[in-house]
């Protein structure tokens, strides 16, 4: 898994052969025109939906119903964004999402890293079995655990708060995080921890002051990947938020049109924009890391 | 030394929280859910034992069969689409764009991180026919073709779901498969070029066999993800029209929470889990047989 992740973004070294290939002039000129068209088409397919969404978020209701889709708004309606936050309560949903996602992330990282450390650095029987146990969780569909959890939260009186989401997210983040962290700790020479132990560090100190800083980079990548999973989750959020005041951004957006009698296109597009550009900004700054992290998570075979 | 690294209390403290949360919230509910399959009712109405009734109902339930058919059709179409298109992108990155591909890679990848609900709402508008005319129908109109009511028929709605999910995921598979192609040693490719292999021949006999492992893991990953499709269908069509685009996951959700039948809901969830496991094992086996033949 790790070699794949690291090989991912390092461009292959330019060999003599490659240089020769790129200078096959006649053929490459012939190829370049269809290639350029193809790339233009790809760019349109990727960008145009977002462009259209952005432009549409500034239109009036009349422009939606009366003008063709490619027309530009005569007078940009910033009020659509105001409405998305006031009538549409987007701010409320975003706050709920943040309240749920960040504590879950902190717990996932703390528990997951500690468990990865214990499974790789420490010595005891049954380590392999426990690691496999965690891994099995990746295969199981979420639907398999929803109903018992619903019963548990109902009977412990947690229903009606955001705790069910925090608890469930923390648990669903475990398999991938434990597996990731165990793999990273495996790549650290054991002598380092033996040395710190000889110097008199307790095992907790070895973990917190020696191990954790060494996998800091990995921790950040895992946190980033888990952030996208949790922030974009619909199934769990939909199941355990029974009132509007608890809804996260995804559930709120799903029911967005319900706040108005009929579909108000402007605020709807504004809300979609807010949701999309929020994650897009993170991607803008951290794209290489996100790509590495997300794809590394899948090559587990 | 051994006593510090093998200290039981320390192991418990470090491993305990993760294992406890995982067991309570994932492992125990899995078995609990298995237990539910032998009951009918819900937490509100109370449970009554029903033996194997839920399983008998499942195999006689036409809606369940429609849901299985939809799930499998969707998983197969999307897996083929994702992996083939992703592979085409990966080949393009490596053999045509070469070093210039970084920016295209990054760009094609971005839809993966977008929230599914937002993308689904966007695609709803994109394919809308009334009261507003979305870009797709607008484009058709400009060619003189009448608007299509994409969400009015299960068949066309299916293809909209597929189009959206391929749009969302092709960049992801492109990067995944690109990593596999980059790993192929340059000298192998070069020497087979010198031996006269080029274009299709090179792809068929050199590149394809050498990227088979990463293709296989992509297929397994894709099948496992697409059999569990939920978000995109719920947000885009909500299973409609009728139950024409309802996968097993959504059918389970509706049975449990709309109709309040936990027992039957758990049965559907179990069938889905079995389906996922069977397909994964099947692909592994098929692959192993192929390898021994070659």
């Amino acid at each position: 898994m790790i070699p794949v992740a690291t090989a991912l973004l390092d461009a292959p070294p330019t060999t003599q052969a490659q240089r020769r290939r790129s200078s096959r002039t006649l053929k490459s000129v012939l190829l370049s025109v269809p290639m350029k068209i193809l790339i233009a088409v790809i760019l349109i397919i990727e960008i145009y939906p977002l462009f259209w969404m952005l432009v549409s978020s500034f239109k009036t209701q009349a422009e939606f119903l009366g003008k063709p889709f490619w027309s530009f708004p005569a007078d940009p309606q910033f009020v659509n964004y105001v409405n998305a936050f006031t009538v549409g309560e987007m701010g409320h949903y975003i706050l709920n999402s943040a309240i749920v996602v960040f504590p879950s992330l902190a717990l996932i990282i703390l528990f997951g890293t500690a468990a990865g450390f214990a499974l790789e650095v420490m010595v005891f029987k049954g380590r392999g079995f426990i690691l496999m146990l965690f891994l099995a969780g990746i295969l199981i569909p979420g639907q398999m655990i929803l109903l018992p959890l619903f019963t548990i939260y109902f009977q412990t009186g947690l229903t009606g708060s955001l705790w069910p989401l925090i608890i469930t997210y923390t648990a669903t983040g475990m398999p991938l995080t434990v597996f990731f962290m165990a793999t990273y700790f495996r790549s650290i020479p054991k002598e380092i921890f033996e040395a710190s132990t000889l110097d008199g560090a307790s095992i907790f100190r070895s973990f917190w002051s020696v191990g954790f800083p060494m996998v800091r980079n990995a921790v950040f990548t895992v946190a980033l990947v888990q952030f996208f999973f949790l922030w974009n989750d619909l199934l769990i959020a939909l199941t355990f938020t029974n009132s509007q005041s608890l809804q996260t951004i995804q559930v709120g957006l799903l029911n967005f049109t319900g706040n108005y009698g009929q579909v108000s296109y402007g605020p709807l597009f504004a809300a979609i924009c807010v949701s999309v550009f929020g994650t897009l900004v993170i991607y803008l700054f951290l794209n290489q890391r996100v790509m590495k992290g997300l794809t590394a998570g899948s090559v587990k075979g | 030394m051994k006593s510090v690294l093998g200290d039981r209390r320390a192991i418990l403290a470090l491993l305990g929280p993760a294992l406890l949360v995982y067991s309570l919230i994932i492992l125990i509910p899995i078995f609990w859910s298995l237990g539910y399959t032998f009951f009918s009712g819900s937490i509100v109405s109370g449970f009554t034992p029903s033996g194997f009734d839920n399983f008998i109902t499942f195999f006689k339930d036409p809606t369940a069969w429609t849901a299985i058919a939809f799930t499998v059709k969707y998983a197969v179409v999307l897996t083929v689409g994702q992996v083939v298109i992703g592979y085409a992108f990966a080949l393009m990155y490596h053999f045509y764009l070469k070093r210039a591909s970084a920016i295209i890679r990054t760009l094609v990848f971005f839809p993966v991180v977008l929230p599914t609900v937002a993308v689904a709402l966007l695609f709803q508008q994109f394919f809308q026919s009334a009261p507003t005319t979305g870009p797709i129908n607008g484009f058709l109109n400009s060619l003189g073709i009448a608007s299509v009511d994409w969400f009015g028929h299960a068949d066309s709605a299916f293809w909209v779901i597929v189009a959206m999910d391929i749009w969302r995921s092709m960049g992801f598979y492109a990067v995944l498969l690109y990593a596999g192609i980059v790993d192929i040693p340059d000298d192998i490719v070069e020497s087979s070029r010198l031996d006269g292999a080029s274009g299709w021949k090179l792809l068929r006999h050199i590149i394809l066999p050498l990227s088979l492992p990463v293709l296989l893991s992509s297929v397994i990953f894709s099948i496992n993800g697409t059999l569990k499709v939920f978000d995109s269908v719920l947000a885009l069509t909500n299973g409609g029209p009728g139950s024409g685009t309802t996968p097993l996951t959504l059918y389970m959700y509706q049975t449990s929470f709309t109709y309040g039948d936990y027992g039957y809901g758990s049965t559907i969830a179990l069938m889905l889990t079995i389906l996922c496991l069977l397909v994964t094992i099947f692909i592994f086996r098929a692959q192993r047989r192929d390898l021994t033949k070659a």
Side-chain angles (χ1 to χ4, degrees):
Chain A
M1 187 185 82
I2 303 306
V4 171
T6 47
L8 209 55
L9 301 154
D10 303 335
T14 319
T15 60
Q16 209 181 351
Q18 260 181 325
R19 249 173 275 140
R20 195 164 60 229
R21 234 182 292 152
S22 54
S23 61
R24 289 172 305 158
T25 43
L26 185 67
K27 207 172 180 186
S28 62
V29 168
L30 283 176
L31 273 173
S32 71
V33 174
M35 219 43 212
K36 274 179 184 154
I37 295 172
L38 183 65
I39 289 171
V41 171
I42 292 170
L43 291 183
I44 291 171
I45 291 174
E46 294 297 328
I47 306 275
Y48 183 71
L50 295 194
F51 175 75
W52 180 69
M53 169 185 80
L54 186 64
V55 169
S56 299
S57 71
F58 292 108
K59 289 183 184 175
T60 64
Q61 185 80 353
E63 281 171 328
F64 270 104
L65 295 171
K67 294 272 182 68
F69 72 90
W70 40 263
S71 66
F72 281 81
D75 179 25
Q77 300 290 310
F78 289 98
V79 70
N80 285 341
Y81 283 85
V82 177
N83 280 339
F85 276 92
T86 52
V87 188
E89 294 194 64
M90 280 302 279
H92 183 76
Y93 300 139
I94 291 174
L95 186 68
N96 277 343
S97 272
I99 291 175
V100 166
V101 168
F102 291 107
S104 309
L105 267 186
L107 290 176
I108 288 176
I109 292 304
L110 187 68
F111 291 176
T113 314
F117 180 84
L119 287 172
E120 273 309 319
V121 177
M122 302 195 67
V123 191
F124 59 97
K125 259 186 158 179
R127 291 189 302 176
F129 173 74
I130 294 178
L131 194 59
M132 285 309 292
L133 206 62
F134 274 115
L135 262 184
I138 297 176
L139 275 176
I140 304 294
Q143 274 77 5
M144 201 64 197
I145 58 168
L146 286 185
L147 292 170
L149 288 181
F150 200 85
T151 310
I152 294 175
Y153 297 139
F154 186 79
Q155 285 181 340
T156 49
L158 290 175
T159 310
S161 70
L162 288 171
W163 282 109
L165 288 190
I166 298 179
I167 296 169
T168 317
Y169 282 158
T170 306
T172 53
M174 280 304 129
L176 202 60
T177 311
V178 171
F179 178 68
F180 255 113
M181 296 324 298
T183 319
Y184 280 104
F185 277 118
R186 195 174 305 154
S187 64
I188 296 177
K190 279 208 163 185
E191 287 79 8
I192 290 177
F193 299 107
E194 287 167 5
S196 70
T197 310
L198 280 180
D199 287 345
S202 72
I203 195 70
F204 299 107
R205 196 168 162 77
S206 288
F207 167 63
W208 191 249
S209 308
V210 181
F212 200 81
M214 291 188 83
V215 292
R216 214 170 26 198
N217 250 337
V219 165
F220 185 66
T221 305
V222 173
L224 201 60
V225 169
Q226 293 290 355
F227 169 80
F228 283 115
F229 285 162
L230 300 188
W231 189 264
N232 294 344
D233 164 74
L234 180 64
L235 178 65
I236 291 163
L238 195 63
T239 309
F240 299 120
T241 54
N242 52 356
S243 70
Q244 208 198 351
S245 63
L246 297 175
Q247 286 175 357
T248 63
I249 180 165
Q250 309 309 337
V251 184
L253 194 58
L254 189 66
N255 301 328
F256 192 81
T257 43
N259 286 6
Y260 301 83
Q262 62 182 95
V263 182
S264 299
Y265 290 100
L268 173 65
F269 272 90
I272 298 174
C273 272
V274 169
S275 172
V276 163
F277 285 114
T279 49
L280 210 54
V281 166
I282 299 175
Y283 184 69
L284 208 58
F285 288 104
L286 297 168
N287 50 58
Q288 300 307 314
R289 214 179 250 274
V290 174
M291 285 163 78
K292 265 191 200 183
L294 279 175
T295 45
S298 70
V299 191
K300 50 179 184 282
Chain B
M1 173 71 59
K2 276 276 173 286
S3 65
V4 176
L5 288 181
D7 178 6
R8 288 192 174 272
R9 254 188 304 173
I11 292 169
L12 200 66
L14 289 169
L15 186 60
L19 200 56
L20 187 72
V21 171
Y22 180 70
S23 307
L24 282 180
I25 305 299
I26 310 236
L27 291 183
I28 293 175
I30 290 173
F31 293 101
W32 194 331
S33 192
L34 282 180
Y36 273 158
T37 59
F38 300 107
F39 289 86
S40 68
S42 76
I43 177 87
V44 184
S45 64
F47 292 98
T48 42
S50 63
F52 286 94
D53 281 3
N54 283 321
F55 294 94
I56 296 165
T57 315
F58 182 85
F59 288 108
K60 286 184 181 163
D61 179 0
T63 320
W65 284 106
T66 322
I68 292 178
F70 179 86
T71 306
V72 172
K73 183 174 151 199
Y74 171 86
V76 170
V77 169
L78 210 68
T79 297
V80 170
Q82 280 173 341
V83 175
V84 168
I85 294 176
Y87 198 62
F89 268 90
L91 290 173
M92 181 183 80
Y93 294 163
H94 188 60
F95 290 106
Y96 291 108
L97 298 176
K98 295 178 188 139
R99 296 204 146 192
S101 76
I103 186 155
I104 304 279
R105 280 205 311 264
T106 312
L107 198 93
V108 179
F109 191 89
F110 86 83
V112 176
V113 303
L114 303 183
T116 315
V117 176
V119 175
L121 292 181
L122 178 63
F123 269 70
Q124 243 173 29
Q125 299 302 322
F126 218 72
F127 282 84
Q128 191 153 64
S129 58
T132 64
T133 303
I136 298 291
N137 279 322
F139 180 69
L140 290 179
N141 290 350
S142 72
L143 295 177
I145 303 170
S147 287
V148 177
D149 182 9
W150 293 97
F151 298 108
H153 311 280
D155 281 337
S156 53
F158 173 79
W159 290 107
V160 177
I161 300 170
V162 168
M164 179 180 99
D165 280 338
I166 286 187
W167 184 78
R168 279 174 1 99
S169 61
M170 61 186 182
F172 176 86
Y173 285 92
V175 170
L176 198 64
L177 292 162
Y178 174 71
I181 294 178
V182 166
D183 278 347
I184 297 175
D186 266 343
D187 39 345
I188 293 184
V189 178
E190 197 48 38
S191 64
S192 42
R193 269 184 206 276
L194 289 177
D195 288 344
S198 65
W200 175 247
K201 253 185 169 170
L202 184 72
L203 177 67
R204 169 75 182 77
H205 294 288
I206 308 293
I207 310 292
L208 209 53
L210 285 176
S211 44
L212 214 53
V214 69
L215 273 170
L216 176 75
S217 49
S218 298
V219 167
I220 291 176
F221 184 71
S222 170
I223 280 274
N224 258 306
T226 49
L227 284 175
K228 296 172 194 162
V229 60
F230 181 77
D231 300 16
S232 17
V233 174
L234 177 74
L236 196 61
T237 67
N238 198 11
S243 59
T245 59
T246 305
L248 280 173
T249 50
L250 187 59
Y251 187 45
M252 176 273 169
Y253 196 87
Q254 289 167 343
T255 307
S256 310
F257 296 109
T258 313
Y259 303 108
D261 191 345
Y262 282 24
Y264 194 41
S266 292
T267 310
I268 300 170
L270 177 64
M271 291 303 170
L272 175 66
T273 309
I274 292 173
L275 190 64
C276 288
L277 294 178
L278 280 184
V279 168
T280 309
I281 294 168
F282 176 76
I283 296 175
F284 264 121
R285 289 220 150 171
Q287 167 64 12
R288 202 171 300 150
R289 205 171 306 140
D290 264 4
L291 278 182
T292 49
K293 253 184 211 166

